[in-house]
């Protein structure tokens, strides 16, 4: 499993990797970004950390491609026995029920993010409406890093 973890996780764990991802994405996209960690950060099992990082990367890519957002916020929350990752933007939003399963641009898409979360006993929810921004929330069990 360790070999499946992105290189970005090697230095600073998930909070550090997400912070770097969000900052670099904001610089590339020109969108004002904010990253927050709530609760007491704990070292996560590699597969959990990699899953959340990949979901964040795809959600930010979707924001850059489709949202037309001026602000984006990413929050990583450690809450007892689970970890949540929330990515929200103030972009144009969409009707989540009208999104095709596969994008012509070859992106991973919402279904792919949901499948990633479910593969580690987690879940993914999307809240959006036209002209109302979008919020993607991934929730996974807190499985600590193997020593």
């Amino acid at each position: 499993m360790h070999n499946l973890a992105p290189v970005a996780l090697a230095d600073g764990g998930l909070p550090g990797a997400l912070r770097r991802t969000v900052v670099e994405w904001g610089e590339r996209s020109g969108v004002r970004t904010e990253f927050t960690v709530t609760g007491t950060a704990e070292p996560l099992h590699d597969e959990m950390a990699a899953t959340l990082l990949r979901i964040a990367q795809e959600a930010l890519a979707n924001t850059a491609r489709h949202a037309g957002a001026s602000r984006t916020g990413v929050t990583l929350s450690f809450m007892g026995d689970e970890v949540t990752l929330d990515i929200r933007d103030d972009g144009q939003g969409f009707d989540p029920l009208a999104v095709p399963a596969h994008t012509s641009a070859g992106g991973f898409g919402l279904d792919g993010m949901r499948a990633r979360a479910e593969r580690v006993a987690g879940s993914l929810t999307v809240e959006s409406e036209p002209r109302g921004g979008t919020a993607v929330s991934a929730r996974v069990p807190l499985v600590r890093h193997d020593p």
Side-chain angles (χ1 to χ4, degrees):
M1 281 301 157
H2 180 71
N3 291 336
L4 297 177
V7 174
L9 292 168
D11 185 28
L14 182 60
L18 280 172
R19 183 175 307 283
R20 287 187 299 279
T21 297
V22 169
V23 167
E24 291 168 7
W25 180 86
E27 290 169 354
R28 279 193 319 274
S29 67
V31 175
R32 192 169 91 214
T33 61
E34 182 178 320
F35 175 70
T36 306
V37 177
T38 65
T40 302
E42 297 193 45
L44 295 178
H45 185 279
D46 290 344
E47 188 174 5
M48 296 302 181
T51 295
L52 291 174
L53 180 60
R54 298 284 192 225
I55 288 171
Q57 290 167 333
E58 182 63 24
L60 291 170
N62 286 346
T63 298
R65 261 194 303 272
H66 307 295
S70 62
R71 291 181 303 144
T72 299
V74 177
T75 302
L76 178 65
S77 301
F78 291 84
M79 302 182 303
D81 60 352
E82 66 182 16
V83 181
T84 61
L85 173 69
D86 297 298
I87 303 103
R88 62 209 172 282
D89 68 60
D90 67 352
Q92 64 186 8
F94 64 96
D95 177 355
L97 299 177
V99 175
H102 301 290
T103 66
S104 59
F108 194 51
L110 296 173
D111 285 343
M113 286 188 280
R114 186 169 286 111
R116 278 190 193 273
E118 289 172 356
R119 204 168 21 252
V120 295
S123 63
L124 184 117
T125 57
V126 178
E127 294 180 18
S128 187
E129 60 183 47
R131 295 171 304 287
T134 300
V136 175
S137 181
R139 185 176 301 263
V140 300
L142 194 157
V143 179
R144 289 169 182 81
H145 178 71
D146 295 333

